[in-house]
Structures are given as C-alpha cells and as structure tokens.
Amino acid sequence: MATHAPARDPLAGTGAAGVRRESREWLWSLLAGVAILAAIALVPLSGDDAALSLWTLIVMFCVLAQGWNFIGGYAGYAAFGNVVFFGIGAEAVALTLLNGGPFWLGLLLGTLAAGLFAFLLGLPVLRLRGHYFAIATLGIAEALGELVAAKAIGGPGGEVSLTPPDLDFHIANTLFFYGFLALSLLTLLGTAWLARSRFGVALVAIRENEEAAEALGIPTFWYKVGAFVLSALPTALAGGLYAYWFLSLQPTGEGGVFDVGYSVSMVLMTFLGGAGTIVGPLIGGIIIEYLVQTTTVAFGDIHGQLLGALIILVTIFLPQGLIRLVRELTVSPAGVKLSYTRRFTEGVRRVQRFIASNGI
Amino acid sequence: MPNAQILVNWLLIGSFYAAVALGFSLVWGIMNIVNLAHGSLLILGAYVAYFAFTALHLNPFIGIILAMLALFVVGWLIQYIAINRVIRAPLLVTFMLTFGLDLLITNLAQQFFTANNRAINSSLAGVNLTLGAIVIPVQNVLAALIAVLLTAALSLFLARTRTGNAILAVGMDRDAARLMGINIARTYALTFALGAALAGAAGAMLAMTLQFQPVDAGQYTLFAFVIVALGGLGTPWGALAGGLLFGLATTLSGSIQAIGPGLQTTVAFAVLVLVLVLRPRGVLGKAFYS
C-alpha cells in the first residue's frame, strides 16, 4: 500500500526539541566540511604531481556538485544542463586569454555571463516542471556546445589550446589546486548560509510542495530563478579555472566543456552524499570522483560498466544519500533517549522501510 | 534538391523518428518514467537484427520480429528486477537509475560488439523507385510503413484489449487499479517490455536504413524525448505527430543554407524549447495516456 515516507529534511522537524536539534546540525555539517577541505589542503605537501592533479579534479567535481545542490538539492529541480555554466566559464577564460586579456578578467566575465545566462534562461524554463525542465536544460547545454563547435568559436571545431601561465609547472598546478579548494570552501559557506536563511527555507518549501509554497505567499518563481543563478556562479568559476589549468578545450564529446557527462556527475555525486544537505555534495564528489579516477586506471576497459552498475545500486539502495543514512542510524527520535544499539537497529528498520516504500 | 524530394525525405525520416519515440512515449505516459536507457535498448535491437542477418542469414524484416522478442524479454527483466524497486521515488531517482542502465548497456555493447559502425546490406538496400527526379528508397518506405502500423497496433491494443485497458488503468491511477485486482508489478513489467520491444523494432529499422554503433544510443534517447515533447504524451499518435514535426525541423534546417547541416540538433532543441514554453502538452497531448 501507499506508505508515504515522512519528509526527511532538516526543516520538517516538529516541536521545539526537533528544531533545536536540527539547528545544531548545520554547525556540525559545516565543521565536518571545513575539516574535510582542510585535510585535502595537505595533499600538495606530499610533492606527488599525480596525486595533486587527481585531487584537483576531485575538488573541481565537488564544486560542481555543490553548485548543482542549490537548484537540484534545495529547490528540487532536476537541472540536467548545469554543464552549460561550466562551458560558459571555460569559454570566457579561453577567449579572454586568446585575445591577450588577463586571467582574472576572463573569470569575472565568465561568472557574470553565466549568471546572466542563468537568469535569462530561467525566465522561460523555470516555468516548466519535472521531466520537461530536465530535458529543456539538457537540450540547451547540448545546443550551446554544438553551436560553439559549428561556429568554430576559439578555433576550428571550437577547439582551443592555451599557452600555460608564465610560472613553474609545479607552482602553477599548486595554485590551481588551492584555487579550486578556496572555491569549494566558499560554496560550502554559501550553502551553510543558504540552509539557515529565509531563501533556503523557501527553496525547500518549493521542493516539498510548490503549490502550497505559492499559497503561503512565497514568490516561488523568483526564488527558483535565484537558486538557478546561485548554482551557475560557482560552476562558471570552476569552468574558468579548469580552462587555464587544463589548457586544451573542446566543446563537445567526452570530456568537452559542454559534455552532459559533467551534468550527470553533479547529480550522481549530490545524490550519493545527500541532496539538499550542506556537506553531502562534498562527500559524494570525493567518493565518486576518486572511484572513477582509480577504476579508470585499474580497470580501464570496464570502468564504464562499473560506473553504470554503481549508479544503479546507489539509486536503488541509497536513495536518500549517505548523510541521511548516517543520521537515521545515529539519531534517536526527538525527545526520546535511546541507547546507541537501539538507535542503530531502529534506524536500520526505518531505512529498510524507506527503501521498500519506493517500490511497488 | 527538388522540393518533392525534400517532402519524401521528410516523410521517411519522420516515420522512422516516430518509431524511435513510440516505446519511450508509452513508458513515460504510463509510468511517468523518462527512460534514459531507451537509446541503448534501441541499439541492442539493431544488433539483434544485424546478427540475425549476418550470422543467421534471415530476412531483415524477420529480424525486426526477432529484435522485438529479444528486447521484450530484456525490458521485462529490467523493470521487474530494477525499476519496480524505485517506481514511487522522486523523478530524479528513476532518471539516474535509467542513466546507469544506459551506461551499463552501452559499455557492454561496446565491449562485446566493438565500436565499429555497422549496417545491414541486404539485397533490398539500394533499390530505389524513381519518379522523375525523385528517388524513393524501397527499404525506407517499408520501414516507414511498419512504423505507422506499429503505432496503429499499439493504439488498438491499448484501447481494445483487456490487457491494454489494464495498462491504461494503471497509468491513470495506480492504487485504484490495484483495488480493481490488477497486478501492478506485472503490468508495469509488461509496459516496459512493450516499450523495449518497440525500441527494438526501431533499432532493427535503424540497422536496415542507416549505420549504427553503441555510442549513438544517447542521441536516440535525446531524439525520443524531443519527439514525445513535441507531439505530446497522451497517445501513441503523439509520437507519430512528434516524429513528423522533428523530421521536418531537421530536414528543413539541413537544407537551408544559412543554418547548414552542423546545427540540426540545435535547431531541433530550439523548436523544442519554443514548444515547451508555448504549449507544454505538445501538439496532440492529453492529460493521460489513451
């Protein structure tokens, strides 16, 4: 029968005790996120160039997932074309550098352009719901990539090769690593602020029931546009950093800056960690990108199959994400004191019920 | 190119597109699942038809039937084992699940069948009817006719048979249908199996008329989505209307000099976004599948 699972978001807490408990949780999440990033910040000390470039990629994907979390996790809109902002950021940096402009100007222009694009694009597409929104955003990303390739922006077929920065190779790579890390920290702080702000609460209301939110007087449309723009900004910055770090760009195809694979990674990472949580995208991003990179090396031939199987297992058995799984297994209901073993066994039962409630 | 030739090309490619989207439309309309593995099921169907022709030396039109049977079984298993477990979850979950399936199937196909381009070169390939300056490839005409026949057959099956009515009932209200004694899990498996079988048929037509390889899967999934969104979700005829409209957009944009052939997908998506904004239900869309 239709056993509707209780809403499992931090703002659904009922009663004063529940609210107080949740309001400490944002702080723990933020501290956990900062601790994770601080640990990653030690990577360049090892002096290993391979490890440095691996973790630069991982942190970049964390930023992408964190950016997607604003529109996909908090507002609950299935944006499948967020790679378009990554591409705009990368193209802006590439074109600025090709025309002799400074790197910071390219980053600034890319971020402004992506924010403006998200605003103008949001006006029509955020009136769409569900699958239609997903595919409209997906289509726009595909179309823009094809346009860059067909109009040969930046070079034949849209392919660009940039001159590396005038710095020692190792120092430049270390700087890019810390650039991505700072961006991730900034996005983490932004998410923590959002989760506690009126804006964030409105987005969660939209995710849970848009009609009810509208009826309560929340200007849902403008909040959605705001969330879309917010998710575009870090994504565009990451694209700009990526362009100057990676140096050679192509618009379409695997690894192209408009490749839908990036969008899928954002969604999968956010899902694995926990969509609409502060630190979830960070954790999901680290786990998935680390697995992807290491399995590509170890099982190059079948890493696509492994990734596909991983996605299937995560969506069936971990639909709420790791953060909420840990919460279910460790936290007792509001106002009740339970031993840790009781919490765990009760938690396992709740999680099993939740997974079963998704099926027929 | 004479205008009549453009018209013929449009009708042929349009009906092929309709076949591409038919199964996708059924699965989406009944179960509210956007099946991102649709394209890879279609490519699997193409391989079944290809090997039926090259290894078993069967007529390509028998290959269509074989592809439908094989994909029916594959679809049934996918729904029963995997998708039924997340059918009540938010839409992103089924989105991700079918994407994972797509990745798995496409990569397995690449591993076992290699990334080579394949096509069926039967005795019918290259046989053309010529009317003045107009060239009509016979094999494509037969494929187009089969596409229209499949649309009509699906429509009749849903409207006239007890099983078809059960599928529609489940699509309208799952819980009410269960109270009427319909087995939901089995009906969903049947629906997905039918959708996969139709994808298989489209794949067999693809193998007959064009080249294919595993990585083409994503493109056909995208096409199916655009076509269904254009034509509307409520009915099998929506897929046909959408296929013809999508064919019109790609054929016309390919023949206009200012746009050129490199931007066909862009034009198609531009049309899609316009339609979504102006008429979100599509051209023939209804509130539920019938």
Side-chain angles (χ1 to χ4, degrees), chain B residues 230-254:
Chain B
L230 282 176
L233 194 57
T235 135
W237 299 105
L240 190 61
L244 289 174
L245 270 177
F246 186 67
L248 187 67
T250 52
T251 317
L252 278 186
S253 70

PDB file of all heavy atoms in Angstrom, chain B residues 230-254:
ATOM      1  N   LEU B 230       7.396  17.182 -28.344  1.00  0.00           N
ATOM      2  CA  LEU B 230       6.792  17.917 -29.456  1.00  0.00           C
ATOM      3  C   LEU B 230       5.383  17.413 -29.730  1.00  0.00           C
ATOM      4  O   LEU B 230       4.438  18.191 -29.873  1.00  0.00           O
ATOM      5  CB  LEU B 230       7.628  17.743 -30.730  1.00  0.00           C
ATOM      6  CG  LEU B 230       8.892  18.556 -30.882  1.00  0.00           C
ATOM      7  CD1 LEU B 230       9.617  18.155 -32.147  1.00  0.00           C
ATOM      8  CD2 LEU B 230       8.567  20.036 -30.908  1.00  0.00           C
ATOM      9  N   GLY B 231       5.250  16.082 -29.825  1.00  0.00           N
ATOM     10  CA  GLY B 231       3.969  15.522 -30.236  1.00  0.00           C
ATOM     11  C   GLY B 231       2.956  15.470 -29.117  1.00  0.00           C
ATOM     12  O   GLY B 231       1.753  15.525 -29.356  1.00  0.00           O
ATOM     13  N   GLY B 232       3.433  15.343 -27.901  1.00  0.00           N
ATOM     14  CA  GLY B 232       2.514  15.228 -26.784  1.00  0.00           C
ATOM     15  C   GLY B 232       2.509  13.818 -26.241  1.00  0.00           C
ATOM     16  O   GLY B 232       2.759  12.851 -26.954  1.00  0.00           O
ATOM     17  N   LEU B 233       2.231  13.726 -24.948  1.00  0.00           N
ATOM     18  CA  LEU B 233       2.440  12.494 -24.221  1.00  0.00           C
ATOM     19  C   LEU B 233       1.236  11.575 -24.230  1.00  0.00           C
ATOM     20  O   LEU B 233       1.361  10.366 -24.095  1.00  0.00           O
ATOM     21  CB  LEU B 233       2.786  12.866 -22.774  1.00  0.00           C
ATOM     22  CG  LEU B 233       3.353  11.778 -21.902  1.00  0.00           C
ATOM     23  CD1 LEU B 233       4.587  11.212 -22.539  1.00  0.00           C
ATOM     24  CD2 LEU B 233       3.670  12.367 -20.558  1.00  0.00           C
ATOM     25  N   GLY B 234       0.054  12.124 -24.412  1.00  0.00           N
ATOM     26  CA  GLY B 234      -1.160  11.368 -24.084  1.00  0.00           C
ATOM     27  C   GLY B 234      -1.467  10.155 -24.948  1.00  0.00           C
ATOM     28  O   GLY B 234      -2.236   9.303 -24.545  1.00  0.00           O
ATOM     29  N   THR B 235      -0.915  10.033 -26.149  1.00  0.00           N
ATOM     30  CA  THR B 235      -1.380   8.997 -27.060  1.00  0.00           C
ATOM     31  C   THR B 235      -0.267   8.515 -27.985  1.00  0.00           C
ATOM     32  O   THR B 235       0.673   9.258 -28.252  1.00  0.00           O
ATOM     33  CB  THR B 235      -2.557   9.527 -27.918  1.00  0.00           C
ATOM     34  OG1 THR B 235      -2.351   9.159 -29.278  1.00  0.00           O
ATOM     35  CG2 THR B 235      -2.641  11.030 -27.862  1.00  0.00           C
ATOM     36  N   PRO B 236      -0.340   7.253 -28.484  1.00  0.00           N
ATOM     37  CA  PRO B 236       0.665   6.777 -29.431  1.00  0.00           C
ATOM     38  C   PRO B 236       0.761   7.664 -30.671  1.00  0.00           C
ATOM     39  O   PRO B 236       1.831   7.799 -31.253  1.00  0.00           O
ATOM     40  CB  PRO B 236       0.180   5.382 -29.813  1.00  0.00           C
ATOM     41  CG  PRO B 236      -0.706   4.959 -28.711  1.00  0.00           C
ATOM     42  CD  PRO B 236      -1.311   6.201 -28.140  1.00  0.00           C
ATOM     43  N   TRP B 237      -0.371   8.272 -31.076  1.00  0.00           N
ATOM     44  CA  TRP B 237      -0.347   9.125 -32.264  1.00  0.00           C
ATOM     45  C   TRP B 237       0.470  10.383 -32.031  1.00  0.00           C
ATOM     46  O   TRP B 237       0.949  11.008 -32.977  1.00  0.00           O
ATOM     47  CB  TRP B 237      -1.766   9.494 -32.696  1.00  0.00           C
ATOM     48  CG  TRP B 237      -2.539   8.256 -33.033  1.00  0.00           C
ATOM     49  CD1 TRP B 237      -3.515   7.682 -32.271  1.00  0.00           C
ATOM     50  CD2 TRP B 237      -2.382   7.419 -34.184  1.00  0.00           C
ATOM     51  NE1 TRP B 237      -3.962   6.533 -32.870  1.00  0.00           N
ATOM     52  CE2 TRP B 237      -3.306   6.354 -34.049  1.00  0.00           C
ATOM     53  CE3 TRP B 237      -1.549   7.461 -35.291  1.00  0.00           C
ATOM     54  CZ2 TRP B 237      -3.391   5.337 -34.982  1.00  0.00           C
ATOM     55  CZ3 TRP B 237      -1.655   6.456 -36.230  1.00  0.00           C
ATOM     56  CH2 TRP B 237      -2.562   5.413 -36.084  1.00  0.00           C
ATOM     57  N   GLY B 238       0.644  10.774 -30.739  1.00  0.00           N
ATOM     58  CA  GLY B 238       1.506  11.909 -30.415  1.00  0.00           C
ATOM     59  C   GLY B 238       2.936  11.650 -30.869  1.00  0.00           C
ATOM     60  O   GLY B 238       3.615  12.551 -31.359  1.00  0.00           O
ATOM     61  N   ALA B 239       3.386  10.376 -30.719  1.00  0.00           N
ATOM     62  CA  ALA B 239       4.745  10.039 -31.152  1.00  0.00           C
ATOM     63  C   ALA B 239       4.877  10.213 -32.660  1.00  0.00           C
ATOM     64  O   ALA B 239       5.889  10.710 -33.148  1.00  0.00           O
ATOM     65  CB  ALA B 239       5.083   8.607 -30.754  1.00  0.00           C
ATOM     66  N   LEU B 240       3.812   9.808 -33.394  1.00  0.00           N
ATOM     67  CA  LEU B 240       3.865   9.945 -34.854  1.00  0.00           C
ATOM     68  C   LEU B 240       3.899  11.424 -35.252  1.00  0.00           C
ATOM     69  O   LEU B 240       4.723  11.845 -36.071  1.00  0.00           O
ATOM     70  CB  LEU B 240       2.644   9.253 -35.481  1.00  0.00           C
ATOM     71  CG  LEU B 240       2.676   9.113 -36.996  1.00  0.00           C
ATOM     72  CD1 LEU B 240       3.864   8.283 -37.438  1.00  0.00           C
ATOM     73  CD2 LEU B 240       1.381   8.463 -37.487  1.00  0.00           C
ATOM     74  N   ALA B 241       3.015  12.216 -34.627  1.00  0.00           N
ATOM     75  CA  ALA B 241       2.997  13.652 -34.937  1.00  0.00           C
ATOM     76  C   ALA B 241       4.336  14.286 -34.595  1.00  0.00           C
ATOM     77  O   ALA B 241       4.889  15.071 -35.371  1.00  0.00           O
ATOM     78  CB  ALA B 241       1.872  14.339 -34.164  1.00  0.00           C
ATOM     79  N   GLY B 242       4.873  13.925 -33.406  1.00  0.00           N
ATOM     80  CA  GLY B 242       6.145  14.480 -32.986  1.00  0.00           C
ATOM     81  C   GLY B 242       7.278  14.059 -33.908  1.00  0.00           C
ATOM     82  O   GLY B 242       8.152  14.854 -34.240  1.00  0.00           O
ATOM     83  N   GLY B 243       7.241  12.786 -34.348  1.00  0.00           N
ATOM     84  CA  GLY B 243       8.271  12.301 -35.258  1.00  0.00           C
ATOM     85  C   GLY B 243       8.267  13.084 -36.555  1.00  0.00           C
ATOM     86  O   GLY B 243       9.318  13.493 -37.064  1.00  0.00           O
ATOM     87  N   LEU B 244       7.074  13.329 -37.085  1.00  0.00           N
ATOM     88  CA  LEU B 244       6.982  14.084 -38.338  1.00  0.00           C
ATOM     89  C   LEU B 244       7.445  15.524 -38.148  1.00  0.00           C
ATOM     90  O   LEU B 244       8.163  16.079 -38.979  1.00  0.00           O
ATOM     91  CB  LEU B 244       5.544  14.048 -38.861  1.00  0.00           C
ATOM     92  CG  LEU B 244       5.114  12.670 -39.395  1.00  0.00           C
ATOM     93  CD1 LEU B 244       3.642  12.663 -39.761  1.00  0.00           C
ATOM     94  CD2 LEU B 244       5.956  12.275 -40.600  1.00  0.00           C
ATOM     95  N   LEU B 245       7.063  16.136 -37.010  1.00  0.00           N
ATOM     96  CA  LEU B 245       7.489  17.514 -36.741  1.00  0.00           C
ATOM     97  C   LEU B 245       9.005  17.606 -36.590  1.00  0.00           C
ATOM     98  O   LEU B 245       9.649  18.506 -37.136  1.00  0.00           O
ATOM     99  CB  LEU B 245       6.847  18.010 -35.446  1.00  0.00           C
ATOM    100  CG  LEU B 245       5.504  18.702 -35.580  1.00  0.00           C
ATOM    101  CD1 LEU B 245       4.975  19.049 -34.203  1.00  0.00           C
ATOM    102  CD2 LEU B 245       5.682  19.978 -36.398  1.00  0.00           C
ATOM    103  N   PHE B 246       9.566  16.637 -35.838  1.00  0.00           N
ATOM    104  CA  PHE B 246      11.011  16.641 -35.618  1.00  0.00           C
ATOM    105  C   PHE B 246      11.739  16.407 -36.938  1.00  0.00           C
ATOM    106  O   PHE B 246      12.744  17.049 -37.232  1.00  0.00           O
ATOM    107  CB  PHE B 246      11.368  15.554 -34.601  1.00  0.00           C
ATOM    108  CG  PHE B 246      12.809  15.561 -34.199  1.00  0.00           C
ATOM    109  CD1 PHE B 246      13.335  16.611 -33.478  1.00  0.00           C
ATOM    110  CD2 PHE B 246      13.644  14.506 -34.535  1.00  0.00           C
ATOM    111  CE1 PHE B 246      14.658  16.616 -33.094  1.00  0.00           C
ATOM    112  CE2 PHE B 246      14.973  14.498 -34.157  1.00  0.00           C
ATOM    113  CZ  PHE B 246      15.477  15.557 -33.442  1.00  0.00           C
ATOM    114  N   GLY B 247      11.181  15.481 -37.744  1.00  0.00           N
ATOM    115  CA  GLY B 247      11.765  15.241 -39.057  1.00  0.00           C
ATOM    116  C   GLY B 247      11.736  16.502 -39.911  1.00  0.00           C
ATOM    117  O   GLY B 247      12.693  16.825 -40.611  1.00  0.00           O
ATOM    118  N   LEU B 248      10.635  17.247 -39.813  1.00  0.00           N
ATOM    119  CA  LEU B 248      10.501  18.499 -40.566  1.00  0.00           C
ATOM    120  C   LEU B 248      11.592  19.487 -40.144  1.00  0.00           C
ATOM    121  O   LEU B 248      12.269  20.086 -40.986  1.00  0.00           O
ATOM    122  CB  LEU B 248       9.114  19.099 -40.310  1.00  0.00           C
ATOM    123  CG  LEU B 248       8.731  20.314 -41.139  1.00  0.00           C
ATOM    124  CD1 LEU B 248       8.593  19.916 -42.601  1.00  0.00           C
ATOM    125  CD2 LEU B 248       7.437  20.922 -40.636  1.00  0.00           C
ATOM    126  N   ALA B 249      11.760  19.621 -38.808  1.00  0.00           N
ATOM    127  CA  ALA B 249      12.754  20.579 -38.310  1.00  0.00           C
ATOM    128  C   ALA B 249      14.161  20.203 -38.785  1.00  0.00           C
ATOM    129  O   ALA B 249      14.909  21.063 -39.252  1.00  0.00           O
ATOM    130  CB  ALA B 249      12.717  20.635 -36.778  1.00  0.00           C
ATOM    131  N   THR B 250      14.522  18.901 -38.692  1.00  0.00           N
ATOM    132  CA  THR B 250      15.881  18.530 -39.080  1.00  0.00           C
ATOM    133  C   THR B 250      16.059  18.585 -40.595  1.00  0.00           C
ATOM    134  O   THR B 250      17.093  19.036 -41.075  1.00  0.00           O
ATOM    135  CB  THR B 250      16.250  17.125 -38.574  1.00  0.00           C
ATOM    136  OG1 THR B 250      15.235  16.224 -38.976  1.00  0.00           O
ATOM    137  CG2 THR B 250      16.409  17.088 -37.085  1.00  0.00           C
ATOM    138  N   THR B 251      15.041  18.145 -41.366  1.00  0.00           N
ATOM    139  CA  THR B 251      15.181  18.163 -42.823  1.00  0.00           C
ATOM    140  C   THR B 251      15.288  19.587 -43.335  1.00  0.00           C
ATOM    141  O   THR B 251      16.164  19.907 -44.150  1.00  0.00           O
ATOM    142  CB  THR B 251      13.964  17.488 -43.490  1.00  0.00           C
ATOM    143  OG1 THR B 251      13.640  16.318 -42.783  1.00  0.00           O
ATOM    144  CG2 THR B 251      14.254  17.138 -44.934  1.00  0.00           C
ATOM    145  N   LEU B 252      14.393  20.463 -42.850  1.00  0.00           N
ATOM    146  CA  LEU B 252      14.398  21.851 -43.327  1.00  0.00           C
ATOM    147  C   LEU B 252      15.685  22.556 -42.938  1.00  0.00           C
ATOM    148  O   LEU B 252      16.336  23.184 -43.770  1.00  0.00           O
ATOM    149  CB  LEU B 252      13.206  22.608 -42.763  1.00  0.00           C
ATOM    150  CG  LEU B 252      11.896  22.409 -43.512  1.00  0.00           C
ATOM    151  CD1 LEU B 252      10.842  23.321 -42.928  1.00  0.00           C
ATOM    152  CD2 LEU B 252      12.076  22.672 -44.994  1.00  0.00           C
ATOM    153  N   SER B 253      16.085  22.421 -41.660  1.00  0.00           N
ATOM    154  CA  SER B 253      17.269  23.151 -41.217  1.00  0.00           C
ATOM    155  C   SER B 253      18.504  22.648 -41.950  1.00  0.00           C
ATOM    156  O   SER B 253      19.438  23.402 -42.194  1.00  0.00           O
ATOM    157  CB  SER B 253      17.459  23.018 -39.714  1.00  0.00           C
ATOM    158  OG  SER B 253      17.832  21.704 -39.393  1.00  0.00           O
ATOM    159  N   GLY B 254      18.491  21.344 -42.341  1.00  0.00           N
ATOM    160  CA  GLY B 254      19.627  20.821 -43.089  1.00  0.00           C
ATOM    161  C   GLY B 254      19.702  21.371 -44.492  1.00  0.00           C
ATOM    162  O   GLY B 254      20.775  21.459 -45.081  1.00  0.00           O
TER     163      GLY B 254
END
